[in-house]
Amino acid sequence: MNGIISIRGAVTADNSISAISNAAVKLVDRIYFKNNLTDGNVINIVVSVTDDLTAFSAARAIRESGHNVPLMSCEEPNTDGALKGCIRVMVTAVSDLAAHHVYLNGARVLRKDLTSSYSIALDGPSGAGKSTVAKDVASRLKITYLDTGALYRALGLTCLKNGTDPSDAAAAEKCLADAVVAIGYTDGVQRVTVNGADVTAEIRTPEVSMAASAVSAVPYVRKKLLGIQRDIASENSVILDGRDIGTVVLPNAEFKFYLTASAEIRAKRRFDELLSKGQNVTYDSVFNDVITRDRNDSTRSVAPLKRAYDAVEINSDDMTAKQVADLIIHTVCGDVQ
Ligand code: DC
C-alpha cells in the first residue's frame, strides 16, 4: 500500500545567488535523504521564499541541481515577526513512511518541536579557539560539549607513558589495543579516562599535543575513537570540536563551522594560554609546534583536517571568542541568546 505524504522544510540564506542556491539545494537533498526519496516517488515540490531573497530563484536552483519534478515557486508576504531570509519547501511524495520534516540553520527556530536534538560540528586547525568557543556555545545553548582532541591526547599520552613512538602505526596499535578511553562529565566539565584512570590534567602539555597529532594519523586510532564520538552525539544535542567532525564523524551534522586564524595568531593564543597555566615555553617553540601540527593534521591520509564542503568558514583573526560564539548561536537559533 502506498500513501501520500507532505514533507515540510525550511532553511535560512543570505540574499546572494550562491547562498540561495546552496541553501535550497541542500534543503531538498536533506529532505530526500531523510525520507528515502528519489524523483520517481516525488509528486511535486512547492517552494516559497521571503520577499528579501531577491538575488536568485530558489526553485530554479533546485531544478538546475538536476531534480526533474513539477516545481512551483512563490513569494511570501512580509508579515510582522516572520523570519527573514527564509526558504520554505513542501515536498509531496508517494511513501509509506512517516514524514521527516527538515529545518536547517536559523529556520530551526520555526519548529523546535521537530528538531529537539541537533549536532554542531566545529573543525579547524589547532589554536583557532575552537574549545573556548565550543564551551561558550554549549553553555549558552545548554547542550553537551565534546572536546574530541582530548581523546587523541589521551591515546598520545598512553603511548608516551609506555615508551611507544606514537608515529609508528604498528607499535601504537599494539600499545593501544587494550586501552579503553571514556568520557565523563563532572559538574558539566569533561573528563577523560584511560582504563579508568583520569588523565584530564595530564593531557595539556606540548609533548602530549605533538604525540596526539602523531597518533591521530594512525588508522586504528581513528577507528577506535569514531564510535565514542558518534555515541555521545546520538544521545544528545551536541557541539563537537575537532578536525574531521563535519567530514567524517558527523557528516550529517545540522550545523558545520570551520574556524581558522593565521598561524601567528594561533601560536600567540596558545603561548598565552600555556603561560597562564604556568608552563615554561617560548613563543618560537609554540609557533613551530603549530606549524608542525598543521602539517601533520592536514597531510595525513586518514580523515585529514579539511573544511567540509557545507561548513561555514569563520576566520577569527579579528574576532573575539565571544563574537565567534555569537555568530554560531545566531546561525543555529536565528538570534543571539
Ligand atoms: O584539538 P587538540 O589540539 O586538542 O587536538 C590534539 C590533536 O588530536 C590534533 O593535533 C589532531 C588530533 N585530532 C584529530 O586528529 N581529530 C580530531 N577530531 C581532534 C583532534
Side-chain angles (χ1 to χ4, degrees):
M1 193 202 77
N2 282 324
I4 306 268
I5 56 171
S6 274
I7 307 139
R8 280 170 298 160
V11 63
T12 51
D14 293 335
N15 189 28
S16 71
I17 295 177
S18 63
I20 291 171
S21 305
N22 290 342
V25 170
K26 179 176 167 185
L27 178 63
V28 169
D29 281 354
R30 196 64 69 88
I31 289 176
Y32 271 50
F33 177 73
K34 292 241 169 178
N35 292 275
N36 209 9
L37 300 177
T38 62
D39 279 354
N41 45 18
V42 167
I43 296 170
N44 60 43
I45 303 179
V46 177
V47 185
S48 71
V49 291
T50 47
D51 65 356
D52 50 343
L53 292 187
T54 52
F56 194 64
S57 157
R60 185 170 153 192
I62 295 166
R63 156 94 55 243
E64 288 180 355
S65 76
H67 289 291
N68 186 17
V69 296
L71 266 157
M72 197 187 84
S73 172
C74 54
E75 184 183 295
E76 291 179 25
N78 187 358
T79 49
D80 241 15
L83 200 64
K84 300 280 179 232
C86 188
I87 301 166
R88 290 180 172 86
V89 303
M90 187 161 75
V91 177
T92 305
V94 177
S95 172
D96 287 331
L97 303 173
H100 283 92
H101 307 292
V102 175
Y103 289 80
L104 302 172
N105 298 356
R108 177 172 299 279
V109 290
L110 295 172
R111 294 297 301 260
K112 281 205 168 78
D113 54 328
L114 297 172
T115 53
S116 53
S117 171
Y118 59 92
S119 302
I120 306 174
L122 178 59
D123 289 305
S126 55
K130 298 185 300 293
S131 66
T132 311
V133 167
K135 273 182 207 154
D136 187 19
V137 169
S139 102
R140 286 200 266 160
L141 294 182
K142 298 185 177 51
I143 60 176
T144 301
Y145 164 49
L146 175 60
D147 162 14
T148 64
L151 297 166
Y152 293 90
R153 286 170 178 271
L155 293 185
L157 175 73
T158 306
C159 285
L160 293 183
K161 281 184 173 171
N162 191 53
T164 300
D165 175 0
S167 59
D168 179 335
E173 176 166 351
K174 198 161 161 229
C175 164
L176 299 171
D178 296 327
V180 178
V181 195
I183 292 288
Y185 294 88
T186 312
D187 296 331
V189 177
Q190 177 180 315
R191 315 220 59 94
V192 57
T193 58
V194 178
N195 296 334
D198 191 328
V199 296
T200 312
E202 284 174 82
I203 58 173
R204 297 290 157 197
T205 63
E207 295 71 33
V208 177
S209 296
M210 296 309 286
S213 184
V215 91
S216 71
V218 176
Y220 168 79
V221 166
R222 301 213 73 86
K223 205 163 149 215
K224 187 178 178 94
L225 297 180
L226 198 55
I228 303 176
Q229 299 171 75
R230 286 188 176 157
D231 284 352
I232 291 176
S234 71
E235 288 157 9
N236 313 280
S237 284
V238 286
I239 178 162
L240 266 63
D241 88 53
R243 306 294 188 285
D244 61 338
I245 308 303
T247 49
V248 175
V249 179
L250 303 176
N252 289 325
E254 282 77 5
F255 304 100
K256 296 183 185 178
F257 300 92
Y258 189 80
L259 185 59
T260 59
S262 68
E264 289 75 15
I265 292 214
R266 290 186 284 123
K268 174 78 172 68
R269 289 179 188 157
R270 189 50 54 105
F271 176 62
D272 291 343
E273 182 192 335
L274 292 170
L275 280 194
S276 73
K277 286 183 181 157
Q279 295 194 21
N280 186 15
V281 286
T282 62
Y283 171 81
D284 285 351
S285 71
V286 175
F287 180 76
N288 287 336
D289 282 1
V290 162
I291 298 290
T292 309
R293 283 219 281 155
D294 280 0
R295 196 174 45 238
N296 287 353
D297 296 347
S298 51
T299 58
R300 65 177 178 232
S301 56
V302 202
L305 166 67
K306 167 165 107 200
R307 181 173 86 84
Y309 79 94
D310 51 353
V312 175
E313 183 157 344
I314 306 172
N315 184 312
S316 71
D317 271 357
D318 298 317
M319 292 172 85
T320 62
K322 160 103 176 40
Q323 287 171 323
V324 176
D326 284 351
L327 180 63
I328 291 178
I329 291 174
H330 181 78
T331 309
V332 173
C333 299
D335 206 355
V336 174
Q337 300 191 347

